[in-house]
PDB file of all heavy atoms in Angstrom:
ATOM      1  N   THR A   1       0.847  -1.191   0.000  1.00 96.00           N
ATOM      2  CA  THR A   1       0.000   0.000   0.000  1.00 96.00           C
ATOM      3  C   THR A   1       0.881   1.238   0.000  1.00 96.00           C
ATOM      4  O   THR A   1       1.802   1.354   0.818  1.00 96.00           O
ATOM      5  CB  THR A   1      -0.925   0.012   1.223  1.00 96.00           C
ATOM      6  OG1 THR A   1      -1.734  -1.160   1.213  1.00 96.00           O
ATOM      7  CG2 THR A   1      -1.829   1.241   1.198  1.00 96.00           C
ATOM      8  N   VAL A   2       0.588   2.168  -0.921  1.00 97.00           N
ATOM      9  CA  VAL A   2       1.417   3.362  -1.052  1.00 97.00           C
ATOM     10  C   VAL A   2       0.544   4.587  -1.275  1.00 97.00           C
ATOM     11  O   VAL A   2      -0.536   4.515  -1.850  1.00 97.00           O
ATOM     12  CB  VAL A   2       2.416   3.235  -2.220  1.00 97.00           C
ATOM     13  CG1 VAL A   2       3.456   2.173  -1.931  1.00 97.00           C
ATOM     14  CG2 VAL A   2       1.709   2.952  -3.537  1.00 97.00           C
ATOM     15  N   CYS A   3       1.047   5.730  -0.795  1.00 97.00           N
ATOM     16  CA  CYS A   3       0.431   7.032  -1.028  1.00 97.00           C
ATOM     17  C   CYS A   3       1.506   8.000  -1.531  1.00 97.00           C
ATOM     18  O   CYS A   3       2.591   8.041  -0.945  1.00 97.00           O
ATOM     19  CB  CYS A   3      -0.159   7.593   0.256  1.00 97.00           C
ATOM     20  SG  CYS A   3      -1.588   6.704   0.899  1.00 97.00           S
ATOM     21  N   PRO A   4       1.191   8.756  -2.600  1.00 97.00           N
ATOM     22  CA  PRO A   4       0.001   8.704  -3.445  1.00 97.00           C
ATOM     23  C   PRO A   4      -0.075   7.396  -4.231  1.00 97.00           C
ATOM     24  O   PRO A   4       0.874   6.611  -4.240  1.00 97.00           O
ATOM     25  CB  PRO A   4       0.165   9.893  -4.388  1.00 97.00           C
ATOM     26  CG  PRO A   4       1.223  10.761  -3.767  1.00 97.00           C
ATOM     27  CD  PRO A   4       2.105   9.825  -3.017  1.00 97.00           C
ATOM     28  N   GLY A   5      -1.192   7.220  -4.953  1.00 95.00           N
ATOM     29  CA  GLY A   5      -1.396   5.998  -5.701  1.00 95.00           C
ATOM     30  C   GLY A   5      -0.969   6.100  -7.146  1.00 95.00           C
ATOM     31  O   GLY A   5      -0.426   7.105  -7.602  1.00 95.00           O
ATOM     32  N   ALA A   6      -1.263   5.028  -7.901  1.00 93.00           N
ATOM     33  CA  ALA A   6      -0.819   4.931  -9.284  1.00 93.00           C
ATOM     34  C   ALA A   6      -1.508   5.936 -10.197  1.00 93.00           C
ATOM     35  O   ALA A   6      -1.011   6.238 -11.278  1.00 93.00           O
ATOM     36  CB  ALA A   6      -1.062   3.516  -9.801  1.00 93.00           C
ATOM     37  N   ALA A   7      -2.660   6.470  -9.783  1.00 92.00           N
ATOM     38  CA  ALA A   7      -3.317   7.518 -10.570  1.00 92.00           C
ATOM     39  C   ALA A   7      -2.738   8.897 -10.261  1.00 92.00           C
ATOM     40  O   ALA A   7      -3.079   9.877 -10.911  1.00 92.00           O
ATOM     41  CB  ALA A   7      -4.825   7.520 -10.298  1.00 92.00           C
ATOM     42  N   GLY A   8      -1.847   8.973  -9.293  1.00 90.00           N
ATOM     43  CA  GLY A   8      -1.334  10.231  -8.801  1.00 90.00           C
ATOM     44  C   GLY A   8      -2.030  10.520  -7.468  1.00 90.00           C
ATOM     45  O   GLY A   8      -3.095   9.969  -7.222  1.00 90.00           O
ATOM     46  N   GLY A   9      -1.487  11.414  -6.640  1.00 96.00           N
ATOM     47  CA  GLY A   9      -0.448  12.385  -6.965  1.00 96.00           C
ATOM     48  C   GLY A   9      -0.828  13.295  -8.136  1.00 96.00           C
ATOM     49  O   GLY A   9      -1.828  13.982  -8.129  1.00 96.00           O
ATOM     50  N   HIS A  10       0.039  13.270  -9.066  1.00 97.00           N
ATOM     51  CA  HIS A  10      -0.082  14.076 -10.268  1.00 97.00           C
ATOM     52  C   HIS A  10      -0.141  13.124 -11.451  1.00 97.00           C
ATOM     53  O   HIS A  10       0.463  12.055 -11.425  1.00 97.00           O
ATOM     54  CB  HIS A  10       1.118  15.011 -10.383  1.00 97.00           C
ATOM     55  CG  HIS A  10       1.060  15.936 -11.560  1.00 97.00           C
ATOM     56  ND1 HIS A  10       0.138  16.946 -11.665  1.00 97.00           N
ATOM     57  CD2 HIS A  10       1.815  16.000 -12.680  1.00 97.00           C
ATOM     58  CE1 HIS A  10       0.328  17.604 -12.798  1.00 97.00           C
ATOM     59  NE2 HIS A  10       1.340  17.049 -13.433  1.00 97.00           N
ATOM     60  N   ASN A  11      -0.877  13.538 -12.497  1.00 96.00           N
ATOM     61  CA  ASN A  11      -0.978  12.690 -13.675  1.00 96.00           C
ATOM     62  C   ASN A  11      -0.828  13.565 -14.910  1.00 96.00           C
ATOM     63  O   ASN A  11      -0.142  14.570 -14.869  1.00 96.00           O
ATOM     64  CB  ASN A  11      -2.298  11.901 -13.646  1.00 96.00           C
ATOM     65  CG  ASN A  11      -2.208  10.570 -14.368  1.00 96.00           C
ATOM     66  OD1 ASN A  11      -1.963  10.516 -15.557  1.00 96.00           O
ATOM     67  ND2 ASN A  11      -2.401   9.479 -13.643  1.00 96.00           N
ATOM     68  N   TRP A  12      -1.510  13.189 -15.998  1.00 96.00           N
ATOM     69  CA  TRP A  12      -1.336  13.882 -17.278  1.00 96.00           C
ATOM     70  C   TRP A  12      -1.908  15.300 -17.279  1.00 96.00           C
ATOM     71  O   TRP A  12      -1.641  16.076 -18.196  1.00 96.00           O
ATOM     72  CB  TRP A  12      -1.966  13.069 -18.402  1.00 96.00           C
ATOM     73  CG  TRP A  12      -3.419  12.754 -18.188  1.00 96.00           C
ATOM     74  CD1 TRP A  12      -3.944  11.620 -17.644  1.00 96.00           C
ATOM     75  CD2 TRP A  12      -4.533  13.601 -18.497  1.00 96.00           C
ATOM     76  NE1 TRP A  12      -5.318  11.708 -17.583  1.00 96.00           N
ATOM     77  CE2 TRP A  12      -5.705  12.900 -18.105  1.00 96.00           C
ATOM     78  CE3 TRP A  12      -4.661  14.859 -19.070  1.00 96.00           C
ATOM     79  CZ2 TRP A  12      -6.981  13.437 -18.272  1.00 96.00           C
ATOM     80  CZ3 TRP A  12      -5.927  15.401 -19.227  1.00 96.00           C
ATOM     81  CH2 TRP A  12      -7.075  14.686 -18.834  1.00 96.00           C
ATOM     82  N   GLN A  13      -2.702  15.670 -16.252  1.00 97.00           N
ATOM     83  CA  GLN A  13      -3.274  17.011 -16.177  1.00 97.00           C
ATOM     84  C   GLN A  13      -2.147  18.002 -15.852  1.00 97.00           C
ATOM     85  O   GLN A  13      -1.702  18.097 -14.720  1.00 97.00           O
ATOM     86  CB  GLN A  13      -4.363  17.061 -15.106  1.00 97.00           C
ATOM     87  CG  GLN A  13      -5.496  16.066 -15.355  1.00 97.00           C
ATOM     88  CD  GLN A  13      -5.324  14.757 -14.621  1.00 97.00           C
ATOM     89  OE1 GLN A  13      -4.225  14.230 -14.560  1.00 97.00           O
ATOM     90  NE2 GLN A  13      -6.389  14.241 -14.048  1.00 97.00           N
ATOM     91  N   ALA A  14      -1.702  18.742 -16.864  1.00 98.00           N
ATOM     92  CA  ALA A  14      -0.462  19.506 -16.765  1.00 98.00           C
ATOM     93  C   ALA A  14      -0.581  20.731 -15.866  1.00 98.00           C
ATOM     94  O   ALA A  14      -1.615  21.402 -15.819  1.00 98.00           O
ATOM     95  CB  ALA A  14      -0.004  19.930 -18.154  1.00 98.00           C
ATOM     96  N   SER A  15       0.515  21.044 -15.189  1.00 98.00           N
ATOM     97  CA  SER A  15       0.652  22.271 -14.409  1.00 98.00           C
ATOM     98  C   SER A  15       0.862  23.451 -15.355  1.00 98.00           C
ATOM     99  O   SER A  15       1.163  23.278 -16.536  1.00 98.00           O
ATOM    100  CB  SER A  15       1.847  22.171 -13.466  1.00 98.00           C
ATOM    101  OG  SER A  15       1.833  20.963 -12.740  1.00 98.00           O
ATOM    102  N   ALA A  16       0.716  24.652 -14.835  1.00 98.00           N
ATOM    103  CA  ALA A  16       0.996  25.860 -15.605  1.00 98.00           C
ATOM    104  C   ALA A  16       1.735  26.855 -14.720  1.00 98.00           C
ATOM    105  O   ALA A  16       1.538  26.903 -13.497  1.00 98.00           O
ATOM    106  CB  ALA A  16      -0.289  26.486 -16.148  1.00 98.00           C
ATOM    107  N   TYR A  17       2.577  27.676 -15.352  1.00 98.00           N
ATOM    108  CA  TYR A  17       3.394  28.652 -14.638  1.00 98.00           C
ATOM    109  C   TYR A  17       2.734  30.024 -14.701  1.00 98.00           C
ATOM    110  O   TYR A  17       2.200  30.425 -15.738  1.00 98.00           O
ATOM    111  CB  TYR A  17       4.783  28.711 -15.252  1.00 98.00           C
ATOM    112  CG  TYR A  17       5.726  29.688 -14.594  1.00 98.00           C
ATOM    113  CD1 TYR A  17       6.078  29.550 -13.256  1.00 98.00           C
ATOM    114  CD2 TYR A  17       6.284  30.742 -15.326  1.00 98.00           C
ATOM    115  CE1 TYR A  17       6.957  30.442 -12.652  1.00 98.00           C
ATOM    116  CE2 TYR A  17       7.167  31.628 -14.730  1.00 98.00           C
ATOM    117  CZ  TYR A  17       7.495  31.475 -13.395  1.00 98.00           C
ATOM    118  OH  TYR A  17       8.363  32.354 -12.798  1.00 98.00           O
ATOM    119  N   SER A  18       2.765  30.726 -13.597  1.00 98.00           N
ATOM    120  CA  SER A  18       2.264  32.097 -13.525  1.00 98.00           C
ATOM    121  C   SER A  18       3.456  33.025 -13.322  1.00 98.00           C
ATOM    122  O   SER A  18       3.957  33.154 -12.198  1.00 98.00           O
ATOM    123  CB  SER A  18       1.267  32.256 -12.366  1.00 98.00           C
ATOM    124  OG  SER A  18       0.980  33.615 -12.127  1.00 98.00           O
ATOM    125  N   PRO A  19       3.947  33.680 -14.385  1.00 98.00           N
ATOM    126  CA  PRO A  19       5.125  34.541 -14.225  1.00 98.00           C
ATOM    127  C   PRO A  19       4.865  35.743 -13.334  1.00 98.00           C
ATOM    128  O   PRO A  19       5.801  36.276 -12.715  1.00 98.00           O
ATOM    129  CB  PRO A  19       5.443  34.971 -15.666  1.00 98.00           C
ATOM    130  CG  PRO A  19       4.207  34.739 -16.447  1.00 98.00           C
ATOM    131  CD  PRO A  19       3.507  33.597 -15.789  1.00 98.00           C
ATOM    132  N   GLU A  20       3.611  36.199 -13.238  1.00 97.00           N
ATOM    133  CA  GLU A  20       3.301  37.329 -12.364  1.00 97.00           C
ATOM    134  C   GLU A  20       3.540  36.991 -10.893  1.00 97.00           C
ATOM    135  O   GLU A  20       3.856  37.875 -10.088  1.00 97.00           O
ATOM    136  CB  GLU A  20       1.848  37.776 -12.545  1.00 97.00           C
ATOM    137  CG  GLU A  20       1.574  38.471 -13.880  1.00 97.00           C
ATOM    138  CD  GLU A  20       1.315  37.482 -15.003  1.00 97.00           C
ATOM    139  OE1 GLU A  20       1.167  36.278 -14.717  1.00 97.00           O
ATOM    140  OE2 GLU A  20       1.263  37.915 -16.172  1.00 97.00           O
ATOM    141  N   THR A  21       3.379  35.735 -10.529  1.00 98.00           N
ATOM    142  CA  THR A  21       3.552  35.332  -9.129  1.00 98.00           C
ATOM    143  C   THR A  21       4.794  34.473  -8.908  1.00 98.00           C
ATOM    144  O   THR A  21       5.159  34.206  -7.764  1.00 98.00           O
ATOM    145  CB  THR A  21       2.319  34.534  -8.653  1.00 98.00           C
ATOM    146  OG1 THR A  21       2.189  33.348  -9.444  1.00 98.00           O
ATOM    147  CG2 THR A  21       1.055  35.369  -8.783  1.00 98.00           C
ATOM    148  N   GLY A  22       5.421  34.015  -9.994  1.00 98.00           N
ATOM    149  CA  GLY A  22       6.578  33.127  -9.852  1.00 98.00           C
ATOM    150  C   GLY A  22       6.200  31.770  -9.305  1.00 98.00           C
ATOM    151  O   GLY A  22       7.021  31.085  -8.686  1.00 98.00           O
ATOM    152  N   ALA A  23       4.946  31.361  -9.538  1.00 98.00           N
ATOM    153  CA  ALA A  23       4.460  30.115  -8.959  1.00 98.00           C
ATOM    154  C   ALA A  23       3.967  29.153 -10.033  1.00 98.00           C
ATOM    155  O   ALA A  23       3.526  29.565 -11.116  1.00 98.00           O
ATOM    156  CB  ALA A  23       3.334  30.389  -7.964  1.00 98.00           C
ATOM    157  N   LEU A  24       4.034  27.881  -9.714  1.00 98.00           N
ATOM    158  CA  LEU A  24       3.503  26.814 -10.547  1.00 98.00           C
ATOM    159  C   LEU A  24       2.155  26.392  -9.959  1.00 98.00           C
ATOM    160  O   LEU A  24       2.053  26.127  -8.763  1.00 98.00           O
ATOM    161  CB  LEU A  24       4.468  25.624 -10.545  1.00 98.00           C
ATOM    162  CG  LEU A  24       4.397  24.629 -11.701  1.00 98.00           C
ATOM    163  CD1 LEU A  24       4.737  25.293 -13.025  1.00 98.00           C
ATOM    164  CD2 LEU A  24       5.364  23.469 -11.440  1.00 98.00           C
ATOM    165  N   ILE A  25       1.117  26.357 -10.802  1.00 98.00           N
ATOM    166  CA  ILE A  25      -0.212  25.936 -10.344  1.00 98.00           C
ATOM    167  C   ILE A  25      -0.375  24.478 -10.764  1.00 98.00           C
ATOM    168  O   ILE A  25      -0.383  24.162 -11.957  1.00 98.00           O
ATOM    169  CB  ILE A  25      -1.334  26.799 -10.949  1.00 98.00           C
ATOM    170  CG1 ILE A  25      -0.978  28.295 -10.852  1.00 98.00           C
ATOM    171  CG2 ILE A  25      -2.656  26.492 -10.262  1.00 98.00           C
ATOM    172  CD1 ILE A  25      -0.796  28.809  -9.457  1.00 98.00           C
ATOM    173  N   ILE A  26      -0.533  23.583  -9.777  1.00 98.00           N
ATOM    174  CA  ILE A  26      -0.426  22.138 -10.014  1.00 98.00           C
ATOM    175  C   ILE A  26      -1.731  21.437  -9.657  1.00 98.00           C
ATOM    176  O   ILE A  26      -2.188  21.524  -8.511  1.00 98.00           O
ATOM    177  CB  ILE A  26       0.715  21.528  -9.165  1.00 98.00           C
ATOM    178  CG1 ILE A  26       2.023  22.305  -9.363  1.00 98.00           C
ATOM    179  CG2 ILE A  26       0.907  20.061  -9.516  1.00 98.00           C
ATOM    180  CD1 ILE A  26       3.121  21.882  -8.401  1.00 98.00           C
ATOM    181  N   PRO A  27      -2.347  20.703 -10.583  1.00 98.00           N
ATOM    182  CA  PRO A  27      -3.494  19.855 -10.232  1.00 98.00           C
ATOM    183  C   PRO A  27      -3.008  18.530  -9.647  1.00 98.00           C
ATOM    184  O   PRO A  27      -2.114  17.881 -10.199  1.00 98.00           O
ATOM    185  CB  PRO A  27      -4.209  19.645 -11.580  1.00 98.00           C
ATOM    186  CG  PRO A  27      -3.161  19.868 -12.615  1.00 98.00           C
ATOM    187  CD  PRO A  27      -2.085  20.730 -12.022  1.00 98.00           C
ATOM    188  N   LEU A  28      -3.588  18.133  -8.521  1.00 98.00           N
ATOM    189  CA  LEU A  28      -3.169  16.934  -7.802  1.00 98.00           C
ATOM    190  C   LEU A  28      -4.378  16.057  -7.492  1.00 98.00           C
ATOM    191  O   LEU A  28      -5.522  16.524  -7.487  1.00 98.00           O
ATOM    192  CB  LEU A  28      -2.461  17.313  -6.498  1.00 98.00           C
ATOM    193  CG  LEU A  28      -1.178  18.143  -6.651  1.00 98.00           C
ATOM    194  CD1 LEU A  28      -0.809  18.805  -5.335  1.00 98.00           C
ATOM    195  CD2 LEU A  28      -0.031  17.270  -7.153  1.00 98.00           C
ATOM    196  N   ILE A  29      -4.117  14.777  -7.214  1.00 97.00           N
ATOM    197  CA  ILE A  29      -5.164  13.814  -6.874  1.00 97.00           C
ATOM    198  C   ILE A  29      -4.814  13.191  -5.529  1.00 97.00           C
ATOM    199  O   ILE A  29      -3.700  12.695  -5.342  1.00 97.00           O
ATOM    200  CB  ILE A  29      -5.282  12.709  -7.945  1.00 97.00           C
ATOM    201  CG1 ILE A  29      -5.586  13.335  -9.315  1.00 97.00           C
ATOM    202  CG2 ILE A  29      -6.360  11.705  -7.570  1.00 97.00           C
ATOM    203  CD1 ILE A  29      -5.533  12.335 -10.460  1.00 97.00           C
ATOM    204  N   GLN A  30      -5.760  13.186  -4.592  1.00 98.00           N
ATOM    205  CA  GLN A  30      -5.496  12.667  -3.249  1.00 98.00           C
ATOM    206  C   GLN A  30      -6.043  11.250  -3.110  1.00 98.00           C
ATOM    207  O   GLN A  30      -7.072  11.008  -2.488  1.00 98.00           O
ATOM    208  CB  GLN A  30      -6.088  13.624  -2.202  1.00 98.00           C
ATOM    209  CG  GLN A  30      -5.488  15.022  -2.300  1.00 98.00           C
ATOM    210  CD  GLN A  30      -5.795  15.921  -1.129  1.00 98.00           C
ATOM    211  OE1 GLN A  30      -4.885  16.498  -0.522  1.00 98.00           O
ATOM    212  NE2 GLN A  30      -7.052  16.064  -0.789  1.00 98.00           N
ATOM    213  N   LEU A  31      -5.312  10.307  -3.719  1.00 97.00           N
ATOM    214  CA  LEU A  31      -5.655   8.893  -3.671  1.00 97.00           C
ATOM    215  C   LEU A  31      -4.407   8.063  -3.412  1.00 97.00           C
ATOM    216  O   LEU A  31      -3.287   8.500  -3.684  1.00 97.00           O
ATOM    217  CB  LEU A  31      -6.287   8.444  -5.000  1.00 97.00           C
ATOM    218  CG  LEU A  31      -7.709   8.940  -5.294  1.00 97.00           C
ATOM    219  CD1 LEU A  31      -8.093   8.618  -6.729  1.00 97.00           C
ATOM    220  CD2 LEU A  31      -8.715   8.330  -4.319  1.00 97.00           C
ATOM    221  N   CYS A  32      -4.618   6.863  -2.893  1.00 97.00           N
ATOM    222  CA  CYS A  32      -3.539   5.913  -2.646  1.00 97.00           C
ATOM    223  C   CYS A  32      -3.832   4.614  -3.403  1.00 97.00           C
ATOM    224  O   CYS A  32      -4.895   4.463  -3.987  1.00 97.00           O
ATOM    225  CB  CYS A  32      -3.389   5.644  -1.154  1.00 97.00           C
ATOM    226  SG  CYS A  32      -3.087   7.147  -0.180  1.00 97.00           S
ATOM    227  N   SER A  33      -2.879   3.678  -3.374  1.00 95.00           N
ATOM    228  CA  SER A  33      -3.045   2.423  -4.115  1.00 95.00           C
ATOM    229  C   SER A  33      -2.531   1.233  -3.326  1.00 95.00           C
ATOM    230  O   SER A  33      -1.605   1.354  -2.509  1.00 95.00           O
ATOM    231  CB  SER A  33      -2.278   2.472  -5.451  1.00 95.00           C
ATOM    232  OG  SER A  33      -2.891   3.316  -6.372  1.00 95.00           O
ATOM    233  N   VAL A  34      -3.147   0.092  -3.622  1.00 95.00           N
ATOM    234  CA  VAL A  34      -2.623  -1.202  -3.195  1.00 95.00           C
ATOM    235  C   VAL A  34      -2.110  -1.889  -4.451  1.00 95.00           C
ATOM    236  O   VAL A  34      -2.875  -2.126  -5.394  1.00 95.00           O
ATOM    237  CB  VAL A  34      -3.695  -2.062  -2.513  1.00 95.00           C
ATOM    238  CG1 VAL A  34      -3.101  -3.404  -2.092  1.00 95.00           C
ATOM    239  CG2 VAL A  34      -4.296  -1.331  -1.322  1.00 95.00           C
ATOM    240  N   VAL A  35      -0.812  -2.179  -4.488  1.00 94.00           N
ATOM    241  CA  VAL A  35      -0.168  -2.746  -5.668  1.00 94.00           C
ATOM    242  C   VAL A  35       0.221  -4.193  -5.375  1.00 94.00           C
ATOM    243  O   VAL A  35       0.900  -4.468  -4.381  1.00 94.00           O
ATOM    244  CB  VAL A  35       1.079  -1.938  -6.069  1.00 94.00           C
ATOM    245  CG1 VAL A  35       1.718  -2.504  -7.328  1.00 94.00           C
ATOM    246  CG2 VAL A  35       0.715  -0.463  -6.277  1.00 94.00           C
ATOM    247  N   ILE A  36      -0.216  -5.111  -6.255  1.00 93.00           N
ATOM    248  CA  ILE A  36       0.087  -6.530  -6.088  1.00 93.00           C
ATOM    249  C   ILE A  36       0.796  -7.018  -7.336  1.00 93.00           C
ATOM    250  O   ILE A  36       0.238  -6.989  -8.443  1.00 93.00           O
ATOM    251  CB  ILE A  36      -1.191  -7.355  -5.851  1.00 93.00           C
ATOM    252  CG1 ILE A  36      -1.972  -6.803  -4.651  1.00 93.00           C
ATOM    253  CG2 ILE A  36      -0.850  -8.828  -5.644  1.00 93.00           C
ATOM    254  CD1 ILE A  36      -3.324  -7.450  -4.450  1.00 93.00           C
ATOM    255  N   ALA A  37       2.012  -7.461  -7.196  1.00 91.00           N
ATOM    256  CA  ALA A  37       2.795  -7.946  -8.337  1.00 91.00           C
ATOM    257  C   ALA A  37       2.232  -9.256  -8.858  1.00 91.00           C
ATOM    258  O   ALA A  37       1.778 -10.105  -8.084  1.00 91.00           O
ATOM    259  CB  ALA A  37       4.252  -8.129  -7.932  1.00 91.00           C
ATOM    260  N   GLY A  38       2.269  -9.433 -10.178  1.00 88.00           N
ATOM    261  CA  GLY A  38       1.818 -10.666 -10.807  1.00 88.00           C
ATOM    262  C   GLY A  38       2.888 -11.246 -11.705  1.00 88.00           C
ATOM    263  O   GLY A  38       3.930 -10.633 -11.955  1.00 88.00           O
ATOM    264  N   GLU A  39       2.626 -12.438 -12.189  1.00 88.00           N
ATOM    265  CA  GLU A  39       3.531 -13.070 -13.142  1.00 88.00           C
ATOM    266  C   GLU A  39       3.358 -12.398 -14.503  1.00 88.00           C
ATOM    267  O   GLU A  39       2.238 -12.134 -14.946  1.00 88.00           O
ATOM    268  CB  GLU A  39       3.228 -14.566 -13.259  1.00 88.00           C
ATOM    269  CG  GLU A  39       3.456 -15.363 -11.973  1.00 88.00           C
ATOM    270  CD  GLU A  39       4.930 -15.604 -11.688  1.00 88.00           C
ATOM    271  OE1 GLU A  39       5.769 -15.218 -12.540  1.00 88.00           O
ATOM    272  OE2 GLU A  39       5.246 -16.167 -10.631  1.00 88.00           O
ATOM    273  N   VAL A  40       4.461 -12.160 -15.173  1.00 85.00           N
ATOM    274  CA  VAL A  40       4.402 -11.508 -16.470  1.00 85.00           C
ATOM    275  C   VAL A  40       4.061 -12.521 -17.550  1.00 85.00           C
ATOM    276  O   VAL A  40       4.489 -13.676 -17.503  1.00 85.00           O
ATOM    277  CB  VAL A  40       5.742 -10.805 -16.792  1.00 85.00           C
ATOM    278  CG1 VAL A  40       6.878 -11.806 -16.913  1.00 85.00           C
ATOM    279  CG2 VAL A  40       5.628  -9.992 -18.065  1.00 85.00           C
ATOM    280  N   GLU A  41       3.244 -12.084 -18.513  1.00 77.00           N
ATOM    281  CA  GLU A  41       2.906 -12.957 -19.625  1.00 77.00           C
ATOM    282  C   GLU A  41       4.073 -13.041 -20.598  1.00 77.00           C
ATOM    283  O   GLU A  41       4.953 -12.176 -20.617  1.00 77.00           O
ATOM    284  CB  GLU A  41       1.656 -12.435 -20.337  1.00 77.00           C
ATOM    285  CG  GLU A  41       0.419 -12.469 -19.463  1.00 77.00           C
ATOM    286  CD  GLU A  41      -0.829 -12.021 -20.215  1.00 77.00           C
ATOM    287  OE1 GLU A  41      -0.738 -11.828 -21.439  1.00 77.00           O
ATOM    288  OE2 GLU A  41      -1.873 -11.866 -19.564  1.00 77.00           O
ATOM    289  N   GLN A  42       4.054 -14.061 -21.421  1.00 72.00           N
ATOM    290  CA  GLN A  42       5.183 -14.337 -22.299  1.00 72.00           C
ATOM    291  C   GLN A  42       5.490 -13.162 -23.223  1.00 72.00           C
ATOM    292  O   GLN A  42       6.647 -12.846 -23.485  1.00 72.00           O
ATOM    293  CB  GLN A  42       4.913 -15.595 -23.133  1.00 72.00           C
ATOM    294  CG  GLN A  42       6.100 -16.017 -23.995  1.00 72.00           C
ATOM    295  CD  GLN A  42       5.849 -17.342 -24.682  1.00 72.00           C
ATOM    296  OE1 GLN A  42       4.815 -17.953 -24.503  1.00 72.00           O
ATOM    297  NE2 GLN A  42       6.813 -17.782 -25.468  1.00 72.00           N
ATOM    298  N   GLN A  43       4.444 -12.492 -23.736  1.00 76.00           N
ATOM    299  CA  GLN A  43       4.664 -11.396 -24.665  1.00 76.00           C
ATOM    300  C   GLN A  43       4.914 -10.068 -23.956  1.00 76.00           C
ATOM    301  O   GLN A  43       5.143  -9.042 -24.598  1.00 76.00           O
ATOM    302  CB  GLN A  43       3.477 -11.252 -25.633  1.00 76.00           C
ATOM    303  CG  GLN A  43       2.224 -10.649 -25.019  1.00 76.00           C
ATOM    304  CD  GLN A  43       1.325 -11.695 -24.390  1.00 76.00           C
ATOM    305  OE1 GLN A  43       1.753 -12.795 -24.081  1.00 76.00           O
ATOM    306  NE2 GLN A  43       0.056 -11.347 -24.201  1.00 76.00           N
ATOM    307  N   GLY A  44       4.848 -10.067 -22.621  1.00 78.00           N
ATOM    308  CA  GLY A  44       5.033  -8.840 -21.868  1.00 78.00           C
ATOM    309  C   GLY A  44       3.701  -8.212 -21.515  1.00 78.00           C
ATOM    310  O   GLY A  44       2.716  -8.355 -22.233  1.00 78.00           O
ATOM    311  N   SER A  45       3.635  -7.517 -20.394  1.00 80.00           N
ATOM    312  CA  SER A  45       2.401  -6.882 -19.948  1.00 80.00           C
ATOM    313  C   SER A  45       2.727  -5.993 -18.753  1.00 80.00           C
ATOM    314  O   SER A  45       3.876  -5.870 -18.345  1.00 80.00           O
ATOM    315  CB  SER A  45       1.358  -7.937 -19.544  1.00 80.00           C
ATOM    316  OG  SER A  45       1.799  -8.635 -18.388  1.00 80.00           O
ATOM    317  N   TYR A  46       1.681  -5.390 -18.168  1.00 84.00           N
ATOM    318  CA  TYR A  46       1.876  -4.590 -16.961  1.00 84.00           C
ATOM    319  C   TYR A  46       2.052  -5.485 -15.739  1.00 84.00           C
ATOM    320  O   TYR A  46       2.750  -5.138 -14.794  1.00 84.00           O
ATOM    321  CB  TYR A  46       0.693  -3.652 -16.765  1.00 84.00           C
ATOM    322  CG  TYR A  46       0.569  -2.640 -17.881  1.00 84.00           C
ATOM    323  CD1 TYR A  46      -0.306  -2.844 -18.946  1.00 84.00           C
ATOM    324  CD2 TYR A  46       1.338  -1.494 -17.886  1.00 84.00           C
ATOM    325  CE1 TYR A  46      -0.410  -1.915 -19.975  1.00 84.00           C
ATOM    326  CE2 TYR A  46       1.246  -0.561 -18.903  1.00 84.00           C
ATOM    327  CZ  TYR A  46       0.368  -0.781 -19.946  1.00 84.00           C
ATOM    328  OH  TYR A  46       0.273   0.134 -20.964  1.00 84.00           O
ATOM    329  N   ALA A  47       1.366  -6.645 -15.752  1.00 86.00           N
ATOM    330  CA  ALA A  47       1.593  -7.711 -14.771  1.00 86.00           C
ATOM    331  C   ALA A  47       1.448  -7.277 -13.322  1.00 86.00           C
ATOM    332  O   ALA A  47       2.252  -7.638 -12.480  1.00 86.00           O
ATOM    333  CB  ALA A  47       2.968  -8.351 -14.988  1.00 86.00           C
ATOM    334  N   ALA A  48       0.431  -6.507 -13.035  1.00 86.00           N
ATOM    335  CA  ALA A  48       0.175  -6.128 -11.643  1.00 86.00           C
ATOM    336  C   ALA A  48      -1.293  -5.794 -11.499  1.00 86.00           C
ATOM    337  O   ALA A  48      -1.963  -5.396 -12.455  1.00 86.00           O
ATOM    338  CB  ALA A  48       1.027  -4.936 -11.223  1.00 86.00           C
TER     339      ALA A  48
END
């Protein structure tokens, strides 16, 4: 079990810079994940 989770934290929703304030505005997700490793298939996969 880990925090943040595999969806983020942060994901593809991009941050933007505000030069007037010198700050980065960041979209975040407050979720965690339980990750269980699996056997990989012969052709390859995410396997979890």
Side-chain angles (χ1 to χ4, degrees):
T1 301
V2 293
C3 292
H10 183 68
N11 209 298
W12 56 265
Q13 302 95 319
S15 311
Y17 180 61
S18 169
E20 289 84 10
T21 61
L24 202 63
I25 314 299
I26 308 171
L28 299 163
I29 302 172
Q30 300 193 127
L31 288 170
C32 303
S33 288
V34 180
V35 182
I36 305 173
E39 296 285 356
V40 64
E41 295 183 8
Q42 185 174 359
Q43 74 272 20
S45 67
Y46 296 97

